């Protein structure tokens, strides 16, 4: 049985990022996933500025900007009455102020291949089912491969199996339940999609929003997401809600009347609420969605997945070099997340709940102020895309736009 320094469970963006940065530091790492790649995942497919910066670190920026994937340079945010503003992300907030629409079928496969080229050993079609320990220390994991149980030896484990993964329960870390649910489908025959991503706030979609992300050639990724609490309280049928959006919602200047579905409407849960539980234990770290690193305001998770994978890899390298992979030794990773992400996520959650409790009247008011003041609009888009913290909307420079 081959022995690794680290096994990463889950080969999505956070797992592939972790494996890539571990391998690049010379760590003997295995990247394990229950699926065979390429495989699809429910997502809006938008690769934003923060994710683009991480892809640049991984040598993938040229691939992202090769022209294969539709690029959007601005965003429209729609109020419930159909009014909207259009704005670009301010250049002072990020290095790459644009978005690319990359299907997760291709995005995740490319990341996995990049990790493998960097030196990670990739095992697909293997479902991790438990931990192996000796005298309280991790010695490996158990997995199912072609119906048989196999073992993979290692010194530490990084859990990157996302919102739906079951392996996180094996780590002993009590994770939060999913906070949101989203559905999406691909469509063609749409008139008007251009180089803007489009976000719609509407009272029909409580504590959430709908999106139209153009993919080029009259196509788009269209979907919506909302709170699981509201979903349950109001017994909302998300597919029916999606059909309402496609057939009845006024989405001008985009015309959906001739839209034809290319895929079924499919849904997935989102685990938000970072900061409510630990992300390290003895010999274990959680990254990406498994660590609830999804923006509670926008639902964006890819950038956080890539960033957390990088930081987990650096923290694990230091721990391995010291010969100490205890929770205390790995806490530097948790401290990084707390310093860089905690306030951002709590502020985003507060804003989302504020909008929801006012029945989105405050959101409509904010959007209308953005129509009048382009600088405010740009800053709001930057907050939505996680390129600046929500507190940026409360600086003296920005506050004056609320009053005049």
């Amino acid at each position: 049985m081959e022995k690794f320094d680290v096994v990463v469970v889950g080969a999505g963006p956070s797992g592939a990022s972790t494996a890539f940065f571990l391998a690049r530091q010379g760590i003997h790492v295995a990247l394990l996933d229950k699926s065979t790649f390429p495989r699809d995942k429910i997502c809006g497919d938008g690769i934003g500025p923060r994710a683009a910066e991480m892809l640049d670190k991984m040598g993938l920026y040229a691939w992202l900007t090769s022209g294969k994937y539709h690029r959007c340079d601005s965003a429209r945010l729609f109020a419930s009455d159909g009014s909207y503003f259009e704005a670009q992300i301010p250049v002072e907030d990020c290095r790459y102020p644009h978005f690319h629409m990359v299907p997760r079928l291709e995005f995740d496969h490319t990341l996995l291949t990049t990790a493998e080229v960097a030196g990670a050993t990739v095992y697909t079609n293997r479902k991790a089912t438990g931990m192996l320990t000796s005298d309280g220390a991790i010695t490996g994991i158990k997995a199912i491969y072609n119906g048989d149980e196999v073992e993979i030896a290692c010194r530490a484990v990084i859990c990157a199996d996302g919102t739906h993964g079951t392996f996180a329960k094996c780590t002993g870390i009590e994770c939060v339940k999913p906070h949101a649910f989203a559905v999406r489908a691909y469509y063609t025959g749409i008139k008007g999609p251009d180089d803007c991503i489009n976000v719609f706030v509407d009272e029909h979609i409580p504590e959430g929003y709908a999106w139209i992300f153009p993919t080029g050639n009259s196509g788009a990724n269209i979907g919506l997401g909302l709170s699981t609490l509201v979903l349950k309280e109001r017994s909302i049928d998300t597919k029916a809600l999606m059909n309402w959006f496609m057939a009845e919602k006024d989405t001008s200047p985009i015309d959906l009347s001739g839209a034809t579905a290319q895929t079924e409407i499919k849904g997935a849960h989102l685990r938000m609420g970072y900061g409510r539980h630990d992300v390290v234990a003895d010999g274990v770290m959680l990254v990406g969605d498994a660590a609830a690193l999804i923006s509670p305001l926008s639902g964006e998770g890819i950038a956080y997945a890539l960033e957390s994978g990088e930081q987990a890899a650096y923290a694990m390298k230091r721990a391995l070099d010291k010969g100490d992979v205890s929770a205390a030794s790995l806490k530097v990773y948790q401290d990084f997340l707390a310093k860089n992400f905690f306030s951002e996520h709590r502020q985003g959650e507060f804003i989302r709940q504020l909008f929801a409790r006012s029945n989105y009247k405050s959101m409509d008011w904010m959007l209308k102020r953005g129509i009048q003041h382009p600088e405010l609009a740009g800053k709001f888009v930057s907050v939505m895309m996680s390129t600046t913290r929500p507190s940026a909307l409360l600086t003296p420079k920005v506050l004056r736009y609320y009053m005049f």
Side-chain angles (χ1 to χ4, degrees):
M1 177 172 58
E2 186 172 8
K3 183 173 182 178
F4 295 88
D5 295 316
V6 182
V7 170
V8 180
V9 177
S14 64
S17 170
T18 305
F20 171 85
F21 286 106
L22 283 171
R24 201 167 68 169
Q25 295 177 96
I27 302 299
H28 193 35
V29 54
L31 179 60
L32 186 86
D33 199 279
K34 65 181 179 181
S35 300
T36 300
F37 285 66
R39 61 97 178 94
D40 197 13
K41 184 176 181 182
I42 308 304
C43 184
D45 294 343
I47 306 302
R50 282 176 67 166
E53 290 192 33
M54 286 301 304
L55 293 178
D56 197 4
K57 289 185 178 183
M58 299 174 72
L60 290 172
Y61 189 70
W63 163 79
L64 179 68
T65 59
S66 64
K68 180 179 179 181
Y69 304 111
H70 190 69
R71 171 172 159 168
C72 293
D73 293 316
S74 56
R76 297 189 188 100
L77 271 70
F78 292 77
S80 56
D81 65 359
S83 60
Y84 65 90
F85 66 66
E86 180 179 327
Q88 295 181 332
I89 294 177
V91 292
E92 67 266 20
D93 288 343
C94 60
R95 185 178 177 186
Y96 303 119
H98 42 250
F99 317 86
H100 287 85
M101 302 302 130
V102 186
R104 290 294 297 274
L105 186 74
E106 299 178 34
F107 184 73
D108 289 15
H109 189 216
T110 298
L111 290 179
L112 179 143
T113 301
T114 300
E116 188 171 27
V117 170
T121 299
V122 174
Y123 294 122
T124 57
N125 193 29
R126 288 167 172 80
K127 180 178 175 60
T129 57
M131 308 273 261
L132 297 171
T133 61
S134 177
D135 296 327
I138 290 174
T139 59
I141 68 161
K142 296 181 290 185
I144 299 298
Y145 175 60
N146 288 339
D148 297 322
E149 184 173 271
V150 296
E151 297 181 353
I152 302 175
C154 63
R155 298 166 62 189
V157 175
I158 296 179
C159 178
D161 65 346
T163 295
H164 293 286
T166 57
F167 186 75
K169 296 179 181 178
C170 303
T171 67
I173 298 175
E174 187 68 31
C175 301
V176 297
K177 294 181 179 179
H179 280 62
F181 185 76
V183 293
R184 72 98 167 98
Y186 293 102
Y187 294 84
T188 190
I190 299 167
K191 298 177 181 178
D194 43 28
D195 64 348
C196 277
I197 64 172
N198 302 274
V199 173
F200 299 82
V201 174
D202 193 283
E203 61 184 10
H204 287 80
I205 312 171
E207 280 200 51
Y209 66 87
W211 69 80
I212 299 176
F213 292 169
T215 57
N217 299 321
S218 80
N221 176 316
I222 302 179
L224 55 87
L226 65 167
S227 158
T228 51
L229 179 62
V230 172
L231 190 71
K232 184 177 295 185
E233 286 179 346
R234 304 190 188 184
S235 300
I236 295 174
D237 182 332
T238 52
K239 288 188 177 181
L241 187 58
M242 183 77 164
N243 289 329
W244 164 83
F245 180 78
M246 296 298 301
E248 300 181 39
K249 173 67 176 175
D250 181 5
T251 58
S252 303
I254 298 174
D255 181 3
L256 300 180
S257 62
T260 301
Q262 299 299 294
T263 64
E264 296 179 9
I265 298 172
K266 295 182 179 180
H269 284 92
L270 305 175
R271 180 179 288 160
M272 302 174 181
Y274 164 73
R276 291 184 172 88
H277 60 75
D278 289 333
V279 294
V280 299
D282 289 341
V284 177
M285 309 171 84
L286 305 184
V287 294
D289 294 7
L293 286 170
I294 296 178
S295 167
L297 186 60
S298 68
E300 205 287 313
I302 291 177
Y304 297 111
L306 299 173
E307 290 171 7
S308 64
E310 177 191 31
Q311 294 303 319
Y314 293 156
M316 183 61 76
K317 173 65 162 61
R318 288 192 290 269
L320 290 169
D321 286 347
K322 292 189 302 181
D324 178 9
V325 293
S326 67
S329 180
L330 298 175
K331 190 173 179 293
V332 63
Y333 165 68
Q334 182 161 302
D335 291 343
F336 175 90
L337 297 188
K339 179 181 178 180
N340 291 276
F341 298 156
F342 181 77
S343 63
E344 176 184 342
H345 282 234
R346 292 289 72 74
Q347 291 168 17
E349 187 168 24
F350 173 78
I351 291 174
R352 189 196 76 223
Q353 292 178 351
L354 176 66
F355 289 155
R357 288 170 182 171
S358 67
N359 204 25
Y360 285 94
K361 288 184 173 61
S362 56
M363 178 67 157
D364 286 350
W365 177 83
M366 175 78 79
L367 289 174
K368 292 182 189 305
R369 301 305 289 178
I371 293 171
Q372 294 176 300
H373 302 290
E375 188 171 352
L376 173 61
K379 192 59 67 175
F380 195 81
V381 168
S382 189
V383 169
M384 287 291 291
M385 297 301 114
S386 301
T387 53
T388 192
R389 295 189 174 189
S391 56
L393 295 173
L394 300 176
T395 62
K397 181 180 179 181
V398 174
L399 281 172
R400 62 192 175 96
Y401 295 124
Y402 304 145
M403 297 179 282
F404 302 104

